[in-house]
Structures are given as C-alpha cells and as structure tokens.
Amino acid sequence: MTAVTAPPRSWSKLVAQNAQEFGPTPLTLLSGQIPQGLRGTLYRNGPGSLQRGGKRVGHWFDGDGAILAVHFREDGVKALYRYVKTQSYLAETQADRYLWSNYGMTDPQGLWHYWQSLFTQQDILKNSANTSVLALPDRLLALWEAGLPHALDLETLETLGIENFSQLNRDRPYSAHPLRDPNTGDIFSIGVDIQSNLNLYHQNASGQILKQKTLKLKDIPFVHSFCLAGPYLIFLFPPLKLDKLGVLFGTKAYASALQWQTGASTRLLVIDRDNFEIISQGETDPFFLWHYGNGCLDTDGNVRLDFVKFSDFAQTNEFLREMATGRSHTISNGYLWQMRLNPQTGQVLESNPLIQRSSEFPVIDPRLTSQPWRYTYLAIQRHQATPGQEWFGAIARFDHQTGTISEHDLGENRYVVEPLYIPDGGNPDQGWLITIVYDGQKDQSEIWIWDSAGLADEPLCRLVLPQRIPFSFHGTWAPLPPA
C-alpha cells in the first residue's frame, strides 16, 4: 500500500527557504491606528533557517535562532530581523553544512568526530539560541534551554556574545522560560543538565544572580518550563526517560532518545522560591506539557495553576518535527487545563479541562504573574481546522471567572503565533494583545494589535512587515524606560 502524503499547507512557504535578514525598516499601516500609549519594543525569537547545503534539519527545534524586533516610538514603527550570530551559526554558514548535533540530529560529521569532540571537551551540541528572549535593562538575551544565553544589543540586535552572568560555566544551562516577579522585577529561572541536576537561579531585575542551587534528581527530567505561584516554584515532570547512553555515545538525538514510560506517573515538585528548599513531592496521572499559563496561591492556602496538557509526548513531538517539513499529518491535541494542589503535601486536589479545543502558548497580563488572575490568552485552532493537525488560526481569551471563551478567527490561510499581553502603563486595568500573523494568501507577515477587552472585534491596527517571517516560538515586550 502506498503511503498517503499530506498536501503542503499554505504556511509551508515559511519553511521552504531560509529567512533573510533586514535592517531597520518603517512599517506600513494596513488598517486602524496605533494606540497612543503603545511605546516600547516587541521581540520575538524562533528558527529562521531550517536547511543548509541541501539538507534539512531533523526537527523544527534545530533551526538557527533569528530575532524580530519591532520598535514602537513617537516617530513611528520600525522593524528589523537578525540571526543570532552564535559560534555554530557562523561556522555552519561559512561551511554551508551542518557541523553539530542538535535536538533532532546526531553529529552530521559522524560518530568519530562526535567522540573526538567529547573527549577533547569541545562543544558537541549546537546552541541554536532559537526559543525565547529576555529583555534586561542593557541587553537582550536569546534563550535556548540546553545552554547559556546569547546577549544582543537591544536596539540593533547585534550579537554581543555568550552571557554567563559572571558565574555560570557552559555545563550550567539556563532555561528558555524565566519568570519575573511583577512586584520586585526579580527573575527566576532553571536549567537541567545531563547529570540529572535541576539548577535553580534567582536574579535581580538587571540579571545579577542573587542565589543559585542545584538539586540532584533521580532521573533526568524533561522540564521545558515551570510555574511561579505565590511563594512557590511548581514543577510537573512528565513520565519521560532519556536514553542517556544513546545520547552520550552519539547514536541517538534527544528527540528520539526521550521515551515515554507507560504506566508511570507525572511527578510533582513544590519548591520554596526564597530558599530553594523542597517543600513537597507528589504524583498524578500521566500527561505531557510544554507550557504553563500562570499559578497563584488561593485564599485556602492551595495552589491553582493552568497549563496546556497533552496525552503523551510522541504525538506532539512528531507534529513539531513535521512543521520543519511544511507538511503536518500527525494529530496532536493540547487542551488548556487547570490543576489545584496542596503545596504542603504535594496532593493534587482537582484537575480539569478548561477549553476542549486544541490550543497552545497560554499567556496572561504579566503584572499578575504568580498572583490571582482572571484571563488566559492563547493560540487556538479554528473550528474548521482538522483538530490538532493544522497550525493555529485563531486567538482566544478564557475567562476563569465566568468559564467562557471569546476568540478572534483570523480567517482561512491565516496563522498566528503566541499572543502577548502588553500592559497599558497609564491604566492598570487595560492592555493590548499583540501577535504576528502570516497571511498565506498574500504571502506576507503582519502585526495585529487588539484592545485586550475587545478580542472578538476587529484589531485596533494591522501593520505589514517588509517580508514574511517564519513562525517564532516565544517573545516579550519591553516598555520604554521612564524619561
């Protein structure tokens, strides 16, 4: 029987060829008006190139990181797009071929080269710097969870070099999902290494490390992100086991070395955020997750958190691998979920779905991180799309108070990335929602901005970018500093 190949989606043009850089370019307003109080910079990070020398990457996560910056100023809006000039990007660009192993690739130069690099303590894994960004007062960090960040100039996106915060060596990875305390500006982050260590970091608003601690875990956990909930750091470890020998000997890439443990539970870990001491541990039903929305301490002393839940790892990982090929056929459904737990005992009290439609990238008003919140925003699939098989074509707002959802369907052949909430500095109860939309019919990328309370309405404004931008993973908003 001949296998049926899924037809290419209209977004496949985004991965058909590597993206090209462009310098500061004024943007054209397609409709509406830019909100008066919207002043700052949108930064987004994602894989800009997925092929070299006629060969494609093994997984979407392997692409070279490229940053989009959109500066909103009094004199207008300008955008620029730059690759993060990592050591591996520069070397592979010059060689026009892949030289390092990655999440979905073993060493392209063969096992002998891999072993030589291992024994001579050279880099054996490519730092793609392609997952997220963290804006500090004097630099932008391009983040990738298996290594150290790269520092960039906030205005020009010039790559300044590896960022180790004056303390970390290359064996101490720094997560792609740090979290900020909205009251103090302090940053909490993590890093998981091949030695089964969970590294915890507490930094001030400028990035200086105030406290760090290493916890030795039984197995190497899969931790893409974590949750800040009041005085706690919450971790959910899916039942995945890494074939450590396969990775260390270079015979398996991480993507294929991660194995789902049938019959095992998802583990839960609660840590005191001030002293990094373990408060409790627990177990719950097996599931997989990439991203949390938010968490908080309720009035009864229990923790409430939401996240996007997948039934297992294999399907979501395969769907994301297929994204780099321009053809998706694996069904992978993630649902916005809420859990309540006792932080002192690690006991799960409740666990229920909030939206039973495939969605991802949950975000909130960042002023409410770790505090009680009402609205969660996220990318969601259109009603007409094949569930869990097509990329997201709508954005939604879930109201935790009423249990209702409002959404904006972008229309056929339009696709969205993670929405971000931008607080209105002049109004504590108001904000905007911003995202990048790819219009497959016009073959162009646009910036769409809504009033956060009027998501179902037409956007306040739309701006067109000078060229199409590949889907990015995550971003951040950096407001202009006070005059």
Side-chain angles (χ1 to χ4, degrees):
M1 181 180 293
T2 303
V4 177
T5 301
R9 314 289 180 175
S10 62
W11 52 259
S12 64
K13 287 174 280 190
L14 292 179
V15 299
Q17 56 188 350
N18 295 338
Q20 300 299 309
E21 296 182 317
F22 60 85
T25 305
L27 300 189
T28 301
L29 187 67
L30 293 176
S31 65
Q33 295 294 326
I34 300 168
Q36 285 296 319
L38 191 66
R39 297 294 181 267
T41 299
L42 170 69
Y43 297 103
R44 294 208 58 88
N45 190 0
S49 67
L50 299 171
Q51 55 188 311
R52 284 200 184 283
K55 295 186 177 181
R56 299 191 71 83
V57 293
H59 195 284
W60 194 19
F61 293 174
D62 297 338
D64 293 296
I67 310 293
L68 172 69
V70 185
H71 300 303
F72 290 81
R73 302 291 190 262
E74 290 293 339
D75 60 351
V77 182
K78 291 183 179 180
L80 64 155
Y81 188 68
R82 291 278 188 261
Y83 280 97
V84 184
K85 303 304 192 298
T86 66
Q87 176 190 14
S88 54
Y89 172 83
L90 294 173
E92 290 182 340
T93 298
Q94 183 175 11
D96 194 27
R97 63 189 180 101
Y98 291 114
L99 302 173
W100 281 272
S101 60
N102 210 321
Y103 175 79
M105 302 166 63
T106 56
D107 194 319
Q109 301 185 73
L111 283 177
W112 178 244
H113 176 266
Y114 176 87
W115 292 335
Q116 279 184 316
S117 300
L118 186 65
F119 287 119
T120 56
Q121 296 187 330
Q122 299 180 45
D123 289 333
I124 57 176
L125 189 65
K126 176 179 176 177
N127 185 331
S128 299
N130 67 3
T131 309
S132 191
V133 280
L134 175 64
L136 298 177
D138 61 349
R139 61 203 187 279
L140 179 72
L141 301 185
L143 305 175
W144 179 74
E145 64 195 39
L148 292 174
H150 284 74
L152 288 77
D153 184 277
L154 287 164
E155 192 72 19
T156 67
L157 301 183
E158 175 190 359
T159 302
L160 306 175
I162 291 285
E163 175 62 66
N164 66 2
F165 307 105
S166 302
Q167 293 190 38
L168 305 183
N169 59 41
R170 67 176 189 173
D171 297 324
R172 300 288 300 277
Y174 187 92
S175 153
H177 284 286
L179 296 171
R180 284 186 191 268
D181 182 301
N183 296 318
T184 65
D186 283 4
I187 300 164
F188 293 86
S189 191
I190 63 170
V192 177
D193 61 43
I194 196 72
Q195 304 303 322
S196 305
N197 293 318
L198 175 61
N199 301 290
L200 306 170
Y201 312 116
H202 178 189
Q203 301 164 268
N204 65 16
S206 297
Q208 178 187 3
I209 294 180
L210 304 176
K211 182 180 179 61
Q212 59 178 305
K213 186 172 183 177
T214 298
L215 300 178
K216 189 73 174 181
L217 302 179
K218 180 180 177 181
D219 298 309
I220 301 173
F222 187 96
V223 188
H224 180 68
S225 58
F226 67 103
C227 185
L228 188 62
Y232 306 112
L233 307 179
I234 309 294
F235 296 85
L236 294 170
F237 301 137
L240 281 173
K241 186 175 182 179
L242 180 70
D243 180 357
K244 186 175 178 178
L245 291 179
V247 171
L248 287 176
F249 283 106
T251 58
K252 287 186 177 180
Y254 280 84
S256 57
L258 288 164
Q259 301 167 348
W260 190 258
Q261 301 300 291
T262 302
S265 301
T266 289
R267 292 182 293 158
L268 185 151
L269 184 64
V270 180
I271 293 175
D272 186 300
R273 80 175 209 171
D274 291 328
N275 58 28
F276 288 160
E277 295 293 330
I278 295 176
I279 294 177
S280 66
Q281 302 183 61
E283 293 185 352
T284 187
D285 296 338
F287 62 87
F288 181 79
L289 79 159
W290 296 104
H291 304 117
Y292 298 84
N294 194 33
C296 71
L297 190 66
D298 279 338
T299 54
D300 59 4
N302 294 315
V303 164
R304 173 169 59 96
L305 63 152
D306 67 1
F307 52 89
V308 173
K309 177 180 179 180
F310 295 84
S311 60
D312 66 11
F313 171 73
Q315 287 180 296
T316 178
N317 190 56
E318 178 61 16
F319 173 78
L320 293 169
R321 185 197 68 79
E322 293 168 355
M323 285 293 295
T325 71
R327 297 172 183 265
S328 60
H329 57 82
T330 297
I331 295 177
S332 172
N333 291 310
Y335 303 110
L336 185 64
W337 209 269
Q338 184 176 97
M339 178 182 288
R340 292 183 66 251
L341 60 93
N342 184 327
Q344 299 303 316
T345 66
Q347 178 187 6
V348 174
L349 306 174
E350 293 181 46
S351 185
N352 300 298
L354 298 176
I355 301 176
Q356 296 191 357
R357 217 163 96 212
S358 189
S359 55
E360 247 295 9
F361 306 115
V363 300
I364 64 160
D365 179 342
R367 296 172 294 194
L368 300 177
T369 299
S370 83
Q371 302 173 21
W373 77 106
R374 179 174 177 177
Y375 300 112
T376 296
Y377 306 86
L378 66 171
I380 195 167
Q381 286 199 330
R382 301 179 67 216
H383 285 286
Q384 299 91 332
T386 303
Q389 193 174 31
E390 178 66 289
W391 191 250
F392 305 106
I395 58 173
R397 185 187 74 176
F398 180 79
D399 186 334
H400 292 265
Q401 182 173 305
T402 64
T404 58
I405 182 175
S406 59
E407 65 181 283
H408 192 100
D409 188 321
L410 276 67
E412 188 175 0
N413 294 323
R414 283 177 174 160
Y415 303 93
V416 68
V417 297
E418 167 198 61
L420 289 176
Y421 188 102
I422 303 174
D424 181 348
N427 187 340
D429 299 319
Q430 184 175 322
W432 302 282
L433 210 64
I434 188 169
T435 191
I436 308 298
V437 173
Y438 174 67
D439 189 323
Q441 293 178 319
K442 297 180 180 178
D443 191 23
Q444 68 184 26
S445 294
E446 303 171 5
I447 299 169
W448 290 30
I449 302 171
W450 288 266
D451 184 314
S452 63
L455 185 58
D457 302 328
E458 288 302 304
L460 296 175
C461 71
R462 293 167 50 210
L463 301 119
V464 63
L465 290 163
Q467 65 184 49
R468 60 181 180 227
I469 301 295
F471 290 138
S472 52
F473 292 140
H474 299 289
T476 192
W477 172 261
L480 285 177

